[in-house]
Amino acid sequence: MIQKPKGTYDIYGEKGKQILFLRKLIRALMDKYNYKYFQTPIFESSELFHRGVGETTDIVSKETYDFKDRGDRNLTLRPEGTAGLVRSFIENKLYVDAGPLKAWYFGSMFRYERPQSGRNREFTQFGVEAFGSNDPMLDAEVISIVVNLFKMLGLKGIKVNINTLGDTESRIAYREALLDYFKPHLDELCDDCKARYSKNPLRILDCKVDGKSDILKNAPKIEEYLNDSSKEHFAKVKEYLDVMGIDYVCDSNLVRGLDYYTHTVFEVTSEIESFGSQNVLGAGGRYDNLVETVGGPSTPGVGFAVGIERLLLALEAEQIDITDDENLDIYAFAMDKEEKTYVLSLVNNLRLNGFNVDMDFKDRNIKNNFKHADKLEAKFVIIIGKDEVSNKIITIKNNNTKEEFKVKLENIVEFFDEKLSEE
Ligand code: HAM
């Protein structure tokens, strides 16, 4: 038996319905905010992620799926969506008209991580990226998208954590302060943090191993190293969140696992007790240097991504049902094989007129056809026998009330329009 690769999963049944429902809801939400849909390749040049996400990040140094194609090119399955969007923004010269350019995406990402609940090797992200404005109001808009999505779904146990990493100048000053501070404590830190010390000392702050130690608690705080414009930017973001009535908590140890952030960073977590350790449902921030780093003109950006599987787990933990009422309107069957082609043409016509219709493909008897219609939760059943074909009168049963109707073939669309609008 060939099995699916570790850390991947199949989507079908209820999960399939839920994912489609979320996609539809997200699409409608994105129209409300005027973000445009983007789809970029699932694999990109490996170099893009090395430059974009950063050499020192766990994602690039330990978790990418790298391969060479038959033309000897180094390619990588995308571990996240931002770098690809930035590449597309530059390659398609979208900066010419970025007033700002607001994009959204929904698709598979790949990371070679240790699988557990809420952590997969292939997972789905919904994300947005907005390029071309450094207005802190855009940071607040981006945060409001995640919060409003979760509100629309009815999630209650969520928390928004925010922090600022400041601009490049502030970040350099803070980095120096951290290097000075951690130097005499290096022996007391875990091996990962020892490596982070020289590569990216900020990452020591969100270490899961050393996280609770006094060394980390007493480490210098970013607030003390922010220049005036960085302080101002963060104060404005908070002011705008207040204006929109969005609750948040400031967490000065929130640094995020990707190198590209400047100014605002944020994470939205599920605080439901049973949720488990992978409780960050969505995260993002501002990245004012990334477009330039990847080779484009200096352009600020801000965005986030939500993990769709984790969102589904959160909905389950809060016992929130999300499925669309996309059930079958009509199930049709023939009494005899001779009438099957008539059923096919009728079904085709009904589908063209906008109804959700299925038919019998297994030549069931009447009893089993009605059982099958129940299983499919069809609202109406069409029964076609010799009389129906010769008289052009269709027999229809309401599958709930069992009421029977005889409808002229030419009136059938009108009939279903009327009956289904009453449902
Ligand atoms: P990230 O924090 O790496 O950020 O991922 C965002 C979200 O994707 C996480 O909060 C989580 O819900 C989900 N996620 C990440 N890894 C996994 C996994 N292995 N299994 C299941 N879900 C996962 C980014 O990817 C940035 N590109 C976000 C961003 C966009 N920043 C600015 N713009």
Side-chain angles (χ1 to χ4, degrees), residues 59 80 82 105 111 113 118-120 123 125 128-129 256 258 260-261 280-285 287 303-305 307 310:
I59 295 176
E80 57 101 56
T82 312
Y105 53 92
R111 295 184 194 175
E113 291 192 273
R119 192 160 73 185
N120 310 296
F123 58 98
Q125 278 187 347
V128 313
E129 314 295 345
R256 308 267 305 115
L258 300 98
Y260 47 62
Y261 293 111
V280 184
L281 305 183
Y287 46 84
F304 72 78
R310 286 192 199 173

PDB file of all heavy atoms in Angstrom, residues 59 80 82 105 111 113 118-120 123 125 128-129 256 258 260-261 280-285 287 303-305 307 310, ligand 1:
ATOM      1  N   ILE A  59      13.362  28.260   8.983  1.00  0.00           N
ATOM      2  CA  ILE A  59      12.629  27.875   7.772  1.00  0.00           C
ATOM      3  C   ILE A  59      13.587  27.591   6.622  1.00  0.00           C
ATOM      4  O   ILE A  59      13.481  26.572   5.949  1.00  0.00           O
ATOM      5  CB  ILE A  59      11.620  28.989   7.376  1.00  0.00           C
ATOM      6  CG1 ILE A  59      10.543  29.109   8.460  1.00  0.00           C
ATOM      7  CG2 ILE A  59      10.996  28.731   6.017  1.00  0.00           C
ATOM      8  CD1 ILE A  59       9.550  30.234   8.235  1.00  0.00           C
ATOM      9  N   GLU A  80       6.588  29.662   2.406  1.00  0.00           N
ATOM     10  CA  GLU A  80       5.689  30.748   2.826  1.00  0.00           C
ATOM     11  C   GLU A  80       5.365  31.569   1.585  1.00  0.00           C
ATOM     12  O   GLU A  80       5.964  31.347   0.522  1.00  0.00           O
ATOM     13  CB  GLU A  80       6.345  31.602   3.917  1.00  0.00           C
ATOM     14  CG  GLU A  80       7.680  32.225   3.560  1.00  0.00           C
ATOM     15  CD  GLU A  80       7.565  33.680   3.191  1.00  0.00           C
ATOM     16  OE1 GLU A  80       7.041  34.456   3.995  1.00  0.00           O
ATOM     17  OE2 GLU A  80       7.999  34.063   2.077  1.00  0.00           O
ATOM     18  N   THR A  82       5.132  35.200   1.243  1.00  0.00           N
ATOM     19  CA  THR A  82       5.545  36.599   1.080  1.00  0.00           C
ATOM     20  C   THR A  82       6.641  36.765   0.018  1.00  0.00           C
ATOM     21  O   THR A  82       6.543  37.646  -0.847  1.00  0.00           O
ATOM     22  CB  THR A  82       6.029  37.170   2.429  1.00  0.00           C
ATOM     23  OG1 THR A  82       5.064  36.836   3.412  1.00  0.00           O
ATOM     24  CG2 THR A  82       6.211  38.668   2.372  1.00  0.00           C
ATOM     25  N   TYR A 105      -3.727  35.793  -1.126  1.00  0.00           N
ATOM     26  CA  TYR A 105      -3.449  34.475  -1.711  1.00  0.00           C
ATOM     27  C   TYR A 105      -3.931  33.383  -0.769  1.00  0.00           C
ATOM     28  O   TYR A 105      -4.168  33.636   0.424  1.00  0.00           O
ATOM     29  CB  TYR A 105      -1.949  34.307  -2.017  1.00  0.00           C
ATOM     30  CG  TYR A 105      -1.043  34.595  -0.838  1.00  0.00           C
ATOM     31  CD1 TYR A 105      -0.631  33.593   0.036  1.00  0.00           C
ATOM     32  CD2 TYR A 105      -0.607  35.901  -0.585  1.00  0.00           C
ATOM     33  CE1 TYR A 105       0.181  33.869   1.127  1.00  0.00           C
ATOM     34  CE2 TYR A 105       0.201  36.186   0.501  1.00  0.00           C
ATOM     35  CZ  TYR A 105       0.589  35.162   1.353  1.00  0.00           C
ATOM     36  OH  TYR A 105       1.384  35.446   2.442  1.00  0.00           O
ATOM     37  N   ARG A 111       6.975  22.868   4.591  1.00  0.00           N
ATOM     38  CA  ARG A 111       8.109  23.009   5.526  1.00  0.00           C
ATOM     39  C   ARG A 111       8.417  21.643   6.109  1.00  0.00           C
ATOM     40  O   ARG A 111       7.516  20.942   6.573  1.00  0.00           O
ATOM     41  CB  ARG A 111       7.775  23.980   6.674  1.00  0.00           C
ATOM     42  CG  ARG A 111       7.569  25.399   6.200  1.00  0.00           C
ATOM     43  CD  ARG A 111       7.327  26.372   7.348  1.00  0.00           C
ATOM     44  NE  ARG A 111       6.819  27.631   6.830  1.00  0.00           N
ATOM     45  CZ  ARG A 111       6.416  28.654   7.578  1.00  0.00           C
ATOM     46  NH1 ARG A 111       6.482  28.568   8.900  1.00  0.00           N
ATOM     47  NH2 ARG A 111       5.961  29.758   7.011  1.00  0.00           N
ATOM     48  N   GLU A 113       9.066  20.076   8.846  1.00  0.00           N
ATOM     49  CA  GLU A 113       9.033  20.227  10.296  1.00  0.00           C
ATOM     50  C   GLU A 113       8.617  18.896  10.913  1.00  0.00           C
ATOM     51  O   GLU A 113       8.127  18.015  10.216  1.00  0.00           O
ATOM     52  CB  GLU A 113       7.993  21.282  10.692  1.00  0.00           C
ATOM     53  CG  GLU A 113       8.388  22.674  10.278  1.00  0.00           C
ATOM     54  CD  GLU A 113       7.501  23.729  10.921  1.00  0.00           C
ATOM     55  OE1 GLU A 113       6.448  24.053  10.356  1.00  0.00           O
ATOM     56  OE2 GLU A 113       7.879  24.220  11.996  1.00  0.00           O
ATOM     57  N   GLY A 118      -1.611  20.533  14.252  1.00  0.00           N
ATOM     58  CA  GLY A 118      -1.436  21.942  13.901  1.00  0.00           C
ATOM     59  C   GLY A 118      -0.094  22.245  13.256  1.00  0.00           C
ATOM     60  O   GLY A 118       0.233  23.397  12.997  1.00  0.00           O
ATOM     61  N   ARG A 119       0.711  21.200  13.039  1.00  0.00           N
ATOM     62  CA  ARG A 119       1.977  21.433  12.335  1.00  0.00           C
ATOM     63  C   ARG A 119       2.179  20.332  11.297  1.00  0.00           C
ATOM     64  O   ARG A 119       2.348  19.174  11.648  1.00  0.00           O
ATOM     65  CB  ARG A 119       3.141  21.468  13.319  1.00  0.00           C
ATOM     66  CG  ARG A 119       4.396  21.993  12.646  1.00  0.00           C
ATOM     67  CD  ARG A 119       5.398  22.505  13.640  1.00  0.00           C
ATOM     68  NE  ARG A 119       6.021  21.402  14.340  1.00  0.00           N
ATOM     69  CZ  ARG A 119       6.869  21.550  15.337  1.00  0.00           C
ATOM     70  NH1 ARG A 119       7.164  22.741  15.782  1.00  0.00           N
ATOM     71  NH2 ARG A 119       7.411  20.503  15.903  1.00  0.00           N
ATOM     72  N   ASN A 120       2.119  20.720  10.036  1.00  0.00           N
ATOM     73  CA  ASN A 120       2.218  19.754   8.948  1.00  0.00           C
ATOM     74  C   ASN A 120       3.367  20.126   8.024  1.00  0.00           C
ATOM     75  O   ASN A 120       3.899  21.229   8.109  1.00  0.00           O
ATOM     76  CB  ASN A 120       0.917  19.756   8.135  1.00  0.00           C
ATOM     77  CG  ASN A 120      -0.290  19.619   9.032  1.00  0.00           C
ATOM     78  OD1 ASN A 120      -0.468  18.605   9.682  1.00  0.00           O
ATOM     79  ND2 ASN A 120      -1.097  20.664   9.107  1.00  0.00           N
ATOM     80  N   PHE A 123       0.900  22.514   4.296  1.00  0.00           N
ATOM     81  CA  PHE A 123      -0.213  23.161   4.982  1.00  0.00           C
ATOM     82  C   PHE A 123      -0.714  24.317   4.122  1.00  0.00           C
ATOM     83  O   PHE A 123      -0.067  24.693   3.140  1.00  0.00           O
ATOM     84  CB  PHE A 123       0.199  23.641   6.377  1.00  0.00           C
ATOM     85  CG  PHE A 123       1.358  24.612   6.369  1.00  0.00           C
ATOM     86  CD1 PHE A 123       1.135  25.980   6.442  1.00  0.00           C
ATOM     87  CD2 PHE A 123       2.664  24.164   6.270  1.00  0.00           C
ATOM     88  CE1 PHE A 123       2.200  26.888   6.417  1.00  0.00           C
ATOM     89  CE2 PHE A 123       3.734  25.061   6.250  1.00  0.00           C
ATOM     90  CZ  PHE A 123       3.499  26.418   6.324  1.00  0.00           C
ATOM     91  N   GLN A 125      -2.041  28.251   3.643  1.00  0.00           N
ATOM     92  CA  GLN A 125      -2.081  29.602   4.214  1.00  0.00           C
ATOM     93  C   GLN A 125      -3.011  30.495   3.409  1.00  0.00           C
ATOM     94  O   GLN A 125      -3.031  30.439   2.178  1.00  0.00           O
ATOM     95  CB  GLN A 125      -0.693  30.254   4.169  1.00  0.00           C
ATOM     96  CG  GLN A 125       0.234  29.853   5.282  1.00  0.00           C
ATOM     97  CD  GLN A 125       1.530  30.676   5.254  1.00  0.00           C
ATOM     98  OE1 GLN A 125       1.832  31.374   4.288  1.00  0.00           O
ATOM     99  NE2 GLN A 125       2.298  30.573   6.326  1.00  0.00           N
ATOM    100  N   VAL A 128      -2.178  37.966   3.115  1.00  0.00           N
ATOM    101  CA  VAL A 128      -2.281  39.214   2.362  1.00  0.00           C
ATOM    102  C   VAL A 128      -0.938  39.937   2.424  1.00  0.00           C
ATOM    103  O   VAL A 128      -0.189  39.774   3.388  1.00  0.00           O
ATOM    104  CB  VAL A 128      -3.387  40.173   2.895  1.00  0.00           C
ATOM    105  CG1 VAL A 128      -4.691  39.469   3.139  1.00  0.00           C
ATOM    106  CG2 VAL A 128      -2.958  40.915   4.138  1.00  0.00           C
ATOM    107  N   GLU A 129      -0.659  40.704   1.373  1.00  0.00           N
ATOM    108  CA  GLU A 129       0.523  41.563   1.353  1.00  0.00           C
ATOM    109  C   GLU A 129       0.078  42.896   0.743  1.00  0.00           C
ATOM    110  O   GLU A 129      -0.623  42.900  -0.272  1.00  0.00           O
ATOM    111  CB  GLU A 129       1.651  40.981   0.489  1.00  0.00           C
ATOM    112  CG  GLU A 129       1.969  39.497   0.699  1.00  0.00           C
ATOM    113  CD  GLU A 129       2.527  39.140   2.078  1.00  0.00           C
ATOM    114  OE1 GLU A 129       2.960  40.056   2.812  1.00  0.00           O
ATOM    115  OE2 GLU A 129       2.516  37.951   2.433  1.00  0.00           O
ATOM    116  N   ARG A 256       9.256  37.032  16.007  1.00  0.00           N
ATOM    117  CA  ARG A 256       8.918  36.302  14.780  1.00  0.00           C
ATOM    118  C   ARG A 256      10.131  35.581  14.189  1.00  0.00           C
ATOM    119  O   ARG A 256      11.260  35.993  14.349  1.00  0.00           O
ATOM    120  CB  ARG A 256       8.301  37.222  13.720  1.00  0.00           C
ATOM    121  CG  ARG A 256       7.152  38.032  14.247  1.00  0.00           C
ATOM    122  CD  ARG A 256       5.815  37.386  14.034  1.00  0.00           C
ATOM    123  NE  ARG A 256       5.560  37.040  12.665  1.00  0.00           N
ATOM    124  CZ  ARG A 256       5.413  35.784  12.228  1.00  0.00           C
ATOM    125  NH1 ARG A 256       5.501  34.776  13.028  1.00  0.00           N
ATOM    126  NH2 ARG A 256       5.161  35.542  10.964  1.00  0.00           N
ATOM    127  N   LEU A 258      11.017  35.029  11.054  1.00  0.00           N
ATOM    128  CA  LEU A 258      11.507  35.363   9.718  1.00  0.00           C
ATOM    129  C   LEU A 258      12.304  36.664   9.815  1.00  0.00           C
ATOM    130  O   LEU A 258      12.003  37.518  10.646  1.00  0.00           O
ATOM    131  CB  LEU A 258      10.332  35.534   8.739  1.00  0.00           C
ATOM    132  CG  LEU A 258       9.436  34.302   8.570  1.00  0.00           C
ATOM    133  CD1 LEU A 258       8.203  34.395   9.425  1.00  0.00           C
ATOM    134  CD2 LEU A 258       9.046  34.108   7.126  1.00  0.00           C
ATOM    135  N   TYR A 260      12.684  39.214   7.736  1.00  0.00           N
ATOM    136  CA  TYR A 260      12.401  40.418   6.954  1.00  0.00           C
ATOM    137  C   TYR A 260      11.648  41.532   7.669  1.00  0.00           C
ATOM    138  O   TYR A 260      11.413  42.594   7.108  1.00  0.00           O
ATOM    139  CB  TYR A 260      11.706  40.076   5.638  1.00  0.00           C
ATOM    140  CG  TYR A 260      10.541  39.107   5.651  1.00  0.00           C
ATOM    141  CD1 TYR A 260       9.377  39.375   6.350  1.00  0.00           C
ATOM    142  CD2 TYR A 260      10.605  37.936   4.901  1.00  0.00           C
ATOM    143  CE1 TYR A 260       8.300  38.496   6.305  1.00  0.00           C
ATOM    144  CE2 TYR A 260       9.526  37.044   4.852  1.00  0.00           C
ATOM    145  CZ  TYR A 260       8.382  37.333   5.552  1.00  0.00           C
ATOM    146  OH  TYR A 260       7.322  36.474   5.511  1.00  0.00           O
ATOM    147  N   TYR A 261      11.263  41.322   8.912  1.00  0.00           N
ATOM    148  CA  TYR A 261      10.382  42.314   9.540  1.00  0.00           C
ATOM    149  C   TYR A 261      11.083  43.583  10.008  1.00  0.00           C
ATOM    150  O   TYR A 261      12.226  43.566  10.444  1.00  0.00           O
ATOM    151  CB  TYR A 261       9.649  41.688  10.722  1.00  0.00           C
ATOM    152  CG  TYR A 261       8.677  40.621  10.288  1.00  0.00           C
ATOM    153  CD1 TYR A 261       8.909  39.283  10.572  1.00  0.00           C
ATOM    154  CD2 TYR A 261       7.528  40.947   9.580  1.00  0.00           C
ATOM    155  CE1 TYR A 261       8.021  38.298  10.160  1.00  0.00           C
ATOM    156  CE2 TYR A 261       6.635  39.971   9.166  1.00  0.00           C
ATOM    157  CZ  TYR A 261       6.883  38.656   9.458  1.00  0.00           C
ATOM    158  OH  TYR A 261       6.010  37.690   9.041  1.00  0.00           O
ATOM    159  N   VAL A 280      -0.594  29.488  17.400  1.00  0.00           N
ATOM    160  CA  VAL A 280      -0.560  30.726  16.618  1.00  0.00           C
ATOM    161  C   VAL A 280      -1.363  30.501  15.330  1.00  0.00           C
ATOM    162  O   VAL A 280      -0.962  29.746  14.456  1.00  0.00           O
ATOM    163  CB  VAL A 280       0.887  31.157  16.278  1.00  0.00           C
ATOM    164  CG1 VAL A 280       0.865  32.501  15.549  1.00  0.00           C
ATOM    165  CG2 VAL A 280       1.733  31.246  17.526  1.00  0.00           C
ATOM    166  N   LEU A 281      -2.507  31.145  15.258  1.00  0.00           N
ATOM    167  CA  LEU A 281      -3.384  30.922  14.102  1.00  0.00           C
ATOM    168  C   LEU A 281      -2.950  31.761  12.906  1.00  0.00           C
ATOM    169  O   LEU A 281      -3.122  31.370  11.761  1.00  0.00           O
ATOM    170  CB  LEU A 281      -4.834  31.285  14.461  1.00  0.00           C
ATOM    171  CG  LEU A 281      -5.446  30.611  15.681  1.00  0.00           C
ATOM    172  CD1 LEU A 281      -6.900  31.026  15.831  1.00  0.00           C
ATOM    173  CD2 LEU A 281      -5.343  29.099  15.560  1.00  0.00           C
ATOM    174  N   GLY A 282      -2.407  32.932  13.187  1.00  0.00           N
ATOM    175  CA  GLY A 282      -1.985  33.797  12.091  1.00  0.00           C
ATOM    176  C   GLY A 282      -0.954  34.779  12.593  1.00  0.00           C
ATOM    177  O   GLY A 282      -0.927  35.102  13.781  1.00  0.00           O
ATOM    178  N   ALA A 283      -0.094  35.242  11.671  1.00  0.00           N
ATOM    179  CA  ALA A 283       0.986  36.121  12.102  1.00  0.00           C
ATOM    180  C   ALA A 283       1.499  36.929  10.928  1.00  0.00           C
ATOM    181  O   ALA A 283       1.353  36.530   9.776  1.00  0.00           O
ATOM    182  CB  ALA A 283       2.115  35.285  12.685  1.00  0.00           C
ATOM    183  N   GLY A 284       2.112  38.052  11.242  1.00  0.00           N
ATOM    184  CA  GLY A 284       2.668  38.862  10.159  1.00  0.00           C
ATOM    185  C   GLY A 284       3.343  40.099  10.670  1.00  0.00           C
ATOM    186  O   GLY A 284       3.709  40.187  11.845  1.00  0.00           O
ATOM    187  N   GLY A 285       3.479  41.072   9.776  1.00  0.00           N
ATOM    188  CA  GLY A 285       4.127  42.315  10.167  1.00  0.00           C
ATOM    189  C   GLY A 285       4.562  43.121   8.963  1.00  0.00           C
ATOM    190  O   GLY A 285       4.245  42.789   7.816  1.00  0.00           O
ATOM    191  N   TYR A 287       7.459  44.887   6.512  1.00  0.00           N
ATOM    192  CA  TYR A 287       8.794  44.513   5.990  1.00  0.00           C
ATOM    193  C   TYR A 287       9.233  45.563   4.973  1.00  0.00           C
ATOM    194  O   TYR A 287       9.135  45.381   3.772  1.00  0.00           O
ATOM    195  CB  TYR A 287       8.764  43.100   5.377  1.00  0.00           C
ATOM    196  CG  TYR A 287       7.583  42.835   4.470  1.00  0.00           C
ATOM    197  CD1 TYR A 287       7.595  43.214   3.132  1.00  0.00           C
ATOM    198  CD2 TYR A 287       6.439  42.223   4.958  1.00  0.00           C
ATOM    199  CE1 TYR A 287       6.511  42.996   2.310  1.00  0.00           C
ATOM    200  CE2 TYR A 287       5.343  42.000   4.147  1.00  0.00           C
ATOM    201  CZ  TYR A 287       5.389  42.390   2.820  1.00  0.00           C
ATOM    202  OH  TYR A 287       4.299  42.175   2.014  1.00  0.00           O
ATOM    203  N   GLY A 303       2.024  42.628   5.812  1.00  0.00           N
ATOM    204  CA  GLY A 303       1.110  41.517   5.507  1.00  0.00           C
ATOM    205  C   GLY A 303       1.033  40.522   6.640  1.00  0.00           C
ATOM    206  O   GLY A 303       1.594  40.736   7.722  1.00  0.00           O
ATOM    207  N   PHE A 304       0.336  39.437   6.388  1.00  0.00           N
ATOM    208  CA  PHE A 304       0.233  38.340   7.373  1.00  0.00           C
ATOM    209  C   PHE A 304      -0.151  37.077   6.652  1.00  0.00           C
ATOM    210  O   PHE A 304      -0.538  37.115   5.465  1.00  0.00           O
ATOM    211  CB  PHE A 304      -0.842  38.640   8.440  1.00  0.00           C
ATOM    212  CG  PHE A 304      -2.247  38.550   7.900  1.00  0.00           C
ATOM    213  CD1 PHE A 304      -2.863  37.326   7.710  1.00  0.00           C
ATOM    214  CD2 PHE A 304      -2.932  39.692   7.545  1.00  0.00           C
ATOM    215  CE1 PHE A 304      -4.145  37.250   7.166  1.00  0.00           C
ATOM    216  CE2 PHE A 304      -4.217  39.628   7.007  1.00  0.00           C
ATOM    217  CZ  PHE A 304      -4.819  38.388   6.816  1.00  0.00           C
ATOM    218  N   ALA A 305      -0.068  35.947   7.367  1.00  0.00           N
ATOM    219  CA  ALA A 305      -0.642  34.695   6.859  1.00  0.00           C
ATOM    220  C   ALA A 305      -1.323  33.965   7.999  1.00  0.00           C
ATOM    221  O   ALA A 305      -0.845  33.989   9.139  1.00  0.00           O
ATOM    222  CB  ALA A 305       0.436  33.829   6.228  1.00  0.00           C
ATOM    223  N   GLY A 307      -2.805  30.192   9.151  1.00  0.00           N
ATOM    224  CA  GLY A 307      -2.744  28.756   8.861  1.00  0.00           C
ATOM    225  C   GLY A 307      -4.162  28.193   8.859  1.00  0.00           C
ATOM    226  O   GLY A 307      -4.829  28.192   9.892  1.00  0.00           O
ATOM    227  N   ARG A 310      -4.873  25.204  11.208  1.00  0.00           N
ATOM    228  CA  ARG A 310      -4.966  25.626  12.623  1.00  0.00           C
ATOM    229  C   ARG A 310      -6.274  26.364  12.873  1.00  0.00           C
ATOM    230  O   ARG A 310      -6.864  26.227  13.937  1.00  0.00           O
ATOM    231  CB  ARG A 310      -3.790  26.537  12.982  1.00  0.00           C
ATOM    232  CG  ARG A 310      -2.523  25.749  13.115  1.00  0.00           C
ATOM    233  CD  ARG A 310      -1.433  26.574  13.734  1.00  0.00           C
ATOM    234  NE  ARG A 310      -0.157  25.956  13.423  1.00  0.00           N
ATOM    235  CZ  ARG A 310       1.004  26.476  13.702  1.00  0.00           C
ATOM    236  NH1 ARG A 310       1.072  27.645  14.306  1.00  0.00           N
ATOM    237  NH2 ARG A 310       2.115  25.843  13.398  1.00  0.00           N
TER     238      ARG A 310
HETATM  239  P1  HAM B   1       4.620  32.262   9.683  1.00  0.00           P
HETATM  240  O1  HAM B   1       4.502  32.717  11.074  1.00  0.00           O
HETATM  241  O2  HAM B   1       5.807  31.442   9.342  1.00  0.00           O
HETATM  242  O3  HAM B   1       4.575  33.566   8.779  1.00  0.00           O
HETATM  243  O4  HAM B   1       3.319  31.454   9.264  1.00  0.00           O
HETATM  244  C1  HAM B   1       2.040  32.028   9.359  1.00  0.00           C
HETATM  245  C2  HAM B   1       1.040  31.015   9.867  1.00  0.00           C
HETATM  246  O5  HAM B   1       1.074  29.825   9.066  1.00  0.00           O
HETATM  247  C3  HAM B   1       1.326  30.509  11.285  1.00  0.00           C
HETATM  248  O6  HAM B   1       0.839  31.400  12.238  1.00  0.00           O
HETATM  249  C4  HAM B   1       0.575  29.192  11.286  1.00  0.00           C
HETATM  250  O7  HAM B   1      -0.805  29.407  11.546  1.00  0.00           O
HETATM  251  C5  HAM B   1       0.744  28.700   9.861  1.00  0.00           C
HETATM  252  N1  HAM B   1       1.809  27.692   9.804  1.00  0.00           N
HETATM  253  C6  HAM B   1       3.141  27.897   9.735  1.00  0.00           C
HETATM  254  N2  HAM B   1       3.811  26.734   9.683  1.00  0.00           N
HETATM  255  C7  HAM B   1       2.878  25.750   9.715  1.00  0.00           C
HETATM  256  C8  HAM B   1       2.926  24.318   9.677  1.00  0.00           C
HETATM  257  N3  HAM B   1       4.077  23.661   9.585  1.00  0.00           N
HETATM  258  N4  HAM B   1       1.760  23.641   9.745  1.00  0.00           N
HETATM  259  C9  HAM B   1       0.569  24.285   9.835  1.00  0.00           C
HETATM  260  N5  HAM B   1       0.463  25.639   9.852  1.00  0.00           N
HETATM  261  C10 HAM B   1       1.595  26.361   9.804  1.00  0.00           C
HETATM  262  C11 HAM B   1       4.669  33.565   7.427  1.00  0.00           C
HETATM  263  O8  HAM B   1       4.605  32.566   6.740  1.00  0.00           O
HETATM  264  C12 HAM B   1       4.769  34.947   6.819  1.00  0.00           C
HETATM  265  N6  HAM B   1       4.912  34.810   5.353  1.00  0.00           N
HETATM  266  C13 HAM B   1       3.571  35.786   7.189  1.00  0.00           C
HETATM  267  C14 HAM B   1       3.633  37.150   6.610  1.00  0.00           C
HETATM  268  C15 HAM B   1       3.018  37.587   5.489  1.00  0.00           C
HETATM  269  N7  HAM B   1       4.339  38.163   7.080  1.00  0.00           N
HETATM  270  C16 HAM B   1       4.170  39.208   6.300  1.00  0.00           C
HETATM  271  N8  HAM B   1       3.385  38.870   5.321  1.00  0.00           N
END
